Amino acid sequence: YMRSTDGVQVEALLYDETNAVDVTGSSATTSATTLTRVRSAAFTLTDGRTYRLELRRGGTSGGAILGGRLIQV
């Protein structure tokens, strides 16, 4: 669940620190100002790389993430 504090889009995604790139398909976005469940598309992770979760914003305010899960299928 995540929300925007000012109605401007916020984005959560995985970042591949090993190759300094965003993980394709891992982005989930919302402009809702109330906590909203968001999901990304399917994406692939590669063994031996380091990843981190990033929260990005489009406005001057911010956003909030209540919690999240990384589900492997």
Side-chain angles (χ1 to χ4, degrees), residues 8-73:
V8 176
Q9 181 173 288
V10 290
E11 174 184 29
L13 66 130
L14 287 178
Y15 184 78
D16 177 346
E17 292 185 335
T18 306
N19 292 314
V21 295
D22 298 342
V23 175
T24 302
S26 70
S27 174
T29 64
T30 188
S31 296
T33 56
T34 58
L35 287 171
T36 304
R37 181 180 173 182
V38 294
R39 294 183 71 164
S40 72
F43 56 87
T44 301
L45 300 179
T46 304
D47 287 342
R49 295 187 184 172
T50 301
Y51 299 94
R52 72 172 180 244
L53 175 66
E54 289 193 351
L55 178 62
R56 298 179 182 169
R57 59 193 166 95
T60 56
S61 295
I65 294 180
L66 176 62
R69 292 183 186 163
L70 183 60
I71 300 172
Q72 181 181 1
V73 292

